[in-house]
Amino acid sequence: EKRGDFFVLTLTGDEHRLSPAAIADVLSSLREAKSQATRGSVLITTSQGRFFSNGLDLGWARSAGSRSEAAERLNHMVDSLISLPMPTVAVVQGHAAAAGFVLALCHDYVFMRSDRGVLYMSEVDLGIPLPDYFTVLFRAKIGSVSARRDALLRGTKIRGADAARLGIVDGVKGSEEELKDAGIRLAEQLAARKWDGEIYKVIRQSLYPELCGVLGLGVSKPVLSKL
């Protein structure tokens, strides 16, 4: 949904499992936002209900021959967010598990509830290996070595206050309304700067060279010629 300068991507349904259809819907929404982007555009991603996203649709991911397809489709979603020519804000109103945690981390800024929801990488508990770009994303976005270890090797469920203390999220709020307000306030501040989205994208990609290398993304030379 476009609201002035904001593109608001709302995950609807129950657990917001990332099935082929759900990923396709997210990718379609991101393409639409990219095609309509102007100076001052900002993406806000939020959700309905108890979950931000409970990760992959495991029935699909575990079915014969589809695990590599699942990783590839998620790769496209990560690519699209890292390449989106505008600031991005995730408003995490509930649990963000596995690929849902990854989805939140792909945003430039993340806000989380203090009273509900956890960040949780369930792969070690479920016996599912991580794609390379998952671990590289965690290295790029979480500075604490022990926080990365606990998230990936212990399956620690990280609540809002701890996530803020570890620098994983930018702030926590005690209610859904406060959380939405915090996300909108930041989005308004970012939109007011009226940045060139293509330049913003290139700077973002240069901030995470290892991640972009694994994803096969490169800095656009024609954009740099504007400088």
Side-chain angles (χ1 to χ4, degrees), residues 25 52 93 115 128 149 207 221 226:
D25 285 346
F52 178 73
Q93 302 187 115
D115 63 333
I128 300 173
R149 177 203 64 202
L207 187 61
K221 300 299 182 183
K226 294 182 181 180

Side-chain angles (χ1 to χ4, degrees), residues 31-51:
R31 285 193 297 270
E32 184 176 353
K34 183 178 180 179
S35 71
Q36 298 181 38
T38 60
R39 284 181 177 268
S41 291
V42 179
L43 174 78
I44 303 172
T45 301
T46 186
S47 63
Q48 298 176 347
R50 292 179 55 239
F51 292 89

Side-chain angles (χ1 to χ4, degrees), residues 205-223:
Q205 291 179 341
S206 69
L207 187 61
Y208 308 117
E210 185 184 9
L211 176 61
C212 289
V214 170
L215 294 172
L217 299 173
V219 175
S220 172
K221 300 299 182 183
V223 169

Side-chain angles (χ1 to χ4, degrees), residues 3-212:
R3 303 177 190 171
D5 289 327
F6 303 160
F7 294 94
V8 182
L9 173 59
T10 304
L11 306 175
T12 61
D14 183 16
E15 296 186 8
H16 315 133
R17 290 274 186 183
L18 295 171
S19 65
I23 294 172
D25 285 346
V26 170
L27 290 173
S28 176
S29 296
L30 294 176
R31 285 193 297 270
E32 184 176 353
K34 183 178 180 179
S35 71
Q36 298 181 38
T38 60
R39 284 181 177 268
S41 291
V42 179
L43 174 78
I44 303 172
T45 301
T46 186
S47 63
Q48 298 176 347
R50 292 179 55 239
F51 292 89
F52 178 73
S53 170
N54 206 17
L56 273 177
D57 179 337
L58 292 179
W60 162 57
R62 286 172 165 166
S63 64
S66 68
R67 183 169 290 177
S68 61
E69 180 187 354
E72 182 179 351
R73 291 197 187 207
L74 280 173
N75 189 318
H76 292 324
M77 190 171 66
V78 174
D79 285 358
S80 296
L81 280 163
I82 298 299
S83 300
L84 200 65
M86 65 186 74
T88 57
V89 181
V91 177
V92 180
Q93 302 187 115
H95 302 303
F101 191 171
V102 169
L103 174 60
L105 279 186
C106 287
H107 292 73
D108 299 324
Y109 302 91
V110 183
F111 289 93
M112 188 177 174
R113 287 277 289 270
S114 61
D115 63 333
R116 187 179 75 185
V118 296
L119 305 175
Y120 169 45
M121 289 302 288
S122 57
E123 282 79 357
V124 69
D125 292 326
L126 296 174
I128 300 173
L130 295 173
D132 287 346
Y133 62 91
F134 273 33
T135 52
V136 174
L137 177 69
F138 271 73
R139 286 200 297 271
K141 292 297 189 92
I142 301 177
S144 167
V145 174
S146 61
R148 295 197 300 264
R149 177 203 64 202
D150 289 349
L152 299 180
L153 296 179
R154 294 185 65 183
T156 299
K157 294 179 179 179
I158 306 168
R159 295 197 174 274
D162 288 331
R165 177 178 57 81
L166 294 167
I168 300 172
V169 303
D170 297 279
V172 294
K173 298 297 176 181
S175 70
E176 182 174 338
E177 195 62 35
E178 290 175 328
L179 187 67
K180 287 181 179 178
D181 288 346
I184 290 172
R185 281 198 303 272
L186 175 60
E188 288 173 342
Q189 293 168 11
L190 298 171
R193 303 296 295 272
K194 298 296 181 183
W195 288 315
D196 182 316
E198 288 297 323
I199 296 295
Y200 186 92
K201 177 191 76 174
V202 171
I203 294 174
R204 179 200 287 127
Q205 291 179 341
S206 69
L207 187 61
Y208 308 117
E210 185 184 9
L211 176 61
C212 289

